[in-house]
Amino acid sequence: MQDLMAIFEQANNEMLEKDIDLFQMEVSERTLCGSLMVHIQESIKKSQYSDYFVDIEYNRNKGGKLKTISKTMINSVSEIITINCDLIVHSRGHNISQDNLIAIEMKKTNRPQREKDKDRERIIALTKDSFDDVWSFDGKTFPKHVCRYKLGIYYEVDFRTRSILLEYYVRGAFYLKKKISYLV
């Protein structure tokens, strides 16, 4: 997991160095994700994960099935939700033993709190080892719902203070928070 954090942080630093004009212009989350995707892909190519892909808003599992997560509601009833994360690093189904590496949700600070909370919930669900503590990994098939991302990152950009809040999630739980400043 530390290696994935290092890959992400290197890519984020590269983006802040080479694409700082995007922050000056206060572009959309999608544009920032596109820039970050390019830099993560460059970092991934130089790592042990060179066979992995970086995709924006990817929503399919192997065989074209929609990616889903199971969300337990307040009354203990499960709801199946289709999912597409802002940015992911995964094998696109080619590495069945560890398909999912990094899931990133990006928000601007001025977005409503409910949207931010929903993104954090999604990251928690995606980084869990399993749903309902059942992991039916047989080495041949993927679990019913998407999970087992090794690292989840909540990425919040504050253009006003010129800072980025990074929250790291591992195994369905909050792991670490960092706040970095950038100069424009």
Side-chain angles (χ1 to χ4, degrees):
M1 185 255 322
Q2 293 294 331
D3 55 343
L4 293 174
M5 285 176 65
I7 288 168
F8 163 75
E9 289 181 4
Q10 176 187 350
N12 191 55
N13 289 338
E14 287 283 321
M15 178 180 72
L16 290 172
E17 182 182 311
K18 294 180 179 178
D19 295 332
I20 195 65
D21 55 329
L22 297 177
F23 289 85
Q24 290 171 322
M25 294 183 284
E26 299 185 11
V27 299
S28 71
E29 294 164 15
R30 191 170 291 151
T31 301
L32 291 174
C33 280
S35 175
L36 185 55
M37 178 192 79
V38 169
H39 294 287
I40 291 174
Q41 188 66 57
E42 289 174 9
S43 292
I44 287 286
K45 284 180 185 178
K46 301 172 194 169
S47 76
Q48 66 189 22
Y49 305 107
S50 59
D51 292 340
Y52 283 78
F53 302 91
V54 185
D55 289 309
I56 295 174
E57 296 190 12
Y58 192 90
N59 68 345
R60 299 292 172 176
N61 262 332
K62 192 160 179 110
K65 293 180 184 177
L66 283 173
K67 285 190 173 201
T68 61
I69 58 173
S70 177
K71 181 178 178 184
T72 303
M73 309 305 283
I74 294 170
N75 58 3
S76 297
V77 174
S78 288
E79 177 184 10
I80 307 304
I81 305 167
T82 57
I83 187 165
N84 62 341
C85 196
D86 288 338
L87 186 85
I88 62 172
V89 179
H90 62 142
S91 76
R92 292 184 185 160
H94 300 293
N95 184 343
I96 200 158
S97 64
Q98 186 61 58
D99 183 37
N100 302 317
L101 294 181
I102 302 174
I104 301 171
E105 288 290 354
M106 187 179 285
K107 278 287 180 265
K108 291 182 181 179
T109 299
N110 64 350
R111 301 301 303 159
Q113 188 62 43
R114 72 183 184 290
E115 288 181 19
K116 297 175 191 180
D117 292 342
K118 193 173 180 180
D119 279 359
R120 286 181 176 103
E121 288 175 14
R122 187 175 303 117
I123 290 291
I124 288 168
L126 289 171
T127 57
K128 284 184 177 181
D129 281 339
S130 66
F131 287 96
D132 302 326
D133 297 320
V134 175
W135 174 241
S136 60
F137 180 67
D138 61 6
K140 297 176 185 168
T141 56
F142 289 106
K144 184 175 181 180
H145 303 294
V146 179
C147 59
R148 289 191 70 226
Y149 278 86
K150 291 181 81 169
L151 180 65
I153 303 166
Y154 174 77
Y155 189 113
E156 186 174 308
V157 180
D158 188 336
F159 292 125
R160 188 181 51 77
T161 64
R162 297 183 180 147
S163 64
I164 299 168
L165 171 68
L166 299 172
E167 292 178 4
Y168 294 96
Y169 293 82
V170 177
R171 292 194 162 156
F174 174 80
Y175 177 75
L176 177 70
K177 180 189 287 189
K178 290 185 176 184
K179 190 167 189 175
I180 58 174
S181 297
Y182 62 87
L183 299 174
V184 291

